[in-house]
Amino acid sequence: MTSCRLCGSTDMTGVVDLGATPPCERVLTAGQLDEPELTFPLHLRVCTSCWLAQIPPLISPEETFTDYAYYSSYSTSWVEHARSFVAGLDLGPDSFVVEVASNDGYLLRHVVDRGVRCLGVEPSVNVGAAARERGVPTVTAFLTPESARAIVREHGRADHVVANNVYAHIPDVIGFTEGLRTLVADDGLVSIEVQHLLTLIERNQYDTIYHEHFQYYTVASAQRALASGGLAVVDVELLDTHGGSIRLWARPVEAGVAPSPRVADVLALEKAAGLHEIAGYAEFAGRVTRVRRDLLRFLVSAADAGRTVVGYGAPGKGNTLLNHCGVRPDLLAYTVDRNPYKHGKFTPGARIPIFPPDRIAADRPDYVLVLPWNLRDELVEQLAYVHDWGGRLVFPIPMLEVV
């Protein structure tokens, strides 16, 4: 990677190199286990001109999202997060809401319940079909300036455009942002939720670095990215989702709305953490190495003691962790997941078998390694039954914890 995809600068500095891994959502069938598996470098760099952290665009969104293994509605807490968000929107009978990367309708179904006109824009054929089955109008498309114009011609401009957990997933930042601006009315709002680079760095959340995520934002770099397409950040909220996210509220630049004091407050937090200069990134790679060593030490010790360790969840972030740490079925017998799409398949790279969740109760393992650690509160409650036979939960991030 020789230049920044946002500002074009060649002043790029390495932050952490995780080696080479396969695409994190490309689960394998049994028939694919004897076939070669492509891996791609996973090296996070930061542009010291605009401070956008990014990885090379080695895998296109079309390769990942045309047929996608992630369904948002399988997370109870995420559906509740969406419901609460929609409940707080100022919507009237004539409002129109568009969500980009609307997945299986996990959010817009709450807009439908309010009787408000809405439209999902979802590139994945399979999850978009699930949304339509729920009664959520959905078009199958990637957001580009061209597709945005086509949507506006047919449906009009939106009062509110939602883009949750997608702004990191697009290599063409400028084109995607122009698409957002095209969709939103001149007096409308755009809301974006994306993981905050501040918490990623501070809490060792390196497993959220994977090929689907092309860039990693601070508020400072997000301001520059949104401005590239004609949008201005007017407010920001700090969220607990995904281990620490930011919700950016933006309006068209020509609206001339001044940013709230909260924008300056978060920018000050980022500056204090050193993320507006190279110093804030210097120690991250060392902390990543510590996470890897601690997890491997635990798994090897458990195996030597004859203890059984299985996983819970098969999220993309878990595959970064397993592959970077070199974990294989000899250390993690299997993992389970609520998504039936993944049952009977194997995690990419590590090739850990994936089973339905009831396998844990049947086998009564000594330890359950929780891979979607960002859902900790939800999963501690769901997995409380593990303690019935003396089993314990293990959280690998931000540091190894056995509870």
Side-chain angles (χ1 to χ4, degrees), residues 284-323:
F284 183 56
R287 296 202 304 273
V288 166
T289 298
R290 177 63 183 271
V291 171
R292 178 177 180 271
R293 289 176 178 171
D294 286 349
L295 178 59
L296 281 175
R297 188 179 296 113
F298 166 78
L299 292 173
V300 170
S301 296
D304 287 345
R307 305 294 185 184
T308 53
V309 185
V310 305
Y312 186 92
K317 60 165 59 70
N319 293 322
T320 291
L321 182 74
L322 296 175
N323 284 295

Side-chain angles (χ1 to χ4, degrees), residues 18 142 191 327 332 338:
L18 302 177
F142 286 94
S191 63
V327 176
L332 190 71
R338 293 178 66 186

Side-chain angles (χ1 to χ4, degrees), residues 25 37 42 83 93 103 105 110 121 125 130 133-134 146 163 169 182 196 237 249 266 295 315 379 390 393:
E25 292 288 354
E37 192 174 4
L42 199 52
R83 186 205 62 76
N103 201 262
H110 304 295
V121 182
V125 174
E133 289 173 5
R134 287 192 170 96
E146 294 74 24
H169 292 70
T182 298
H196 196 185
E237 298 174 59
W249 296 90
V266 180
L295 178 59
L379 296 184
L393 306 183

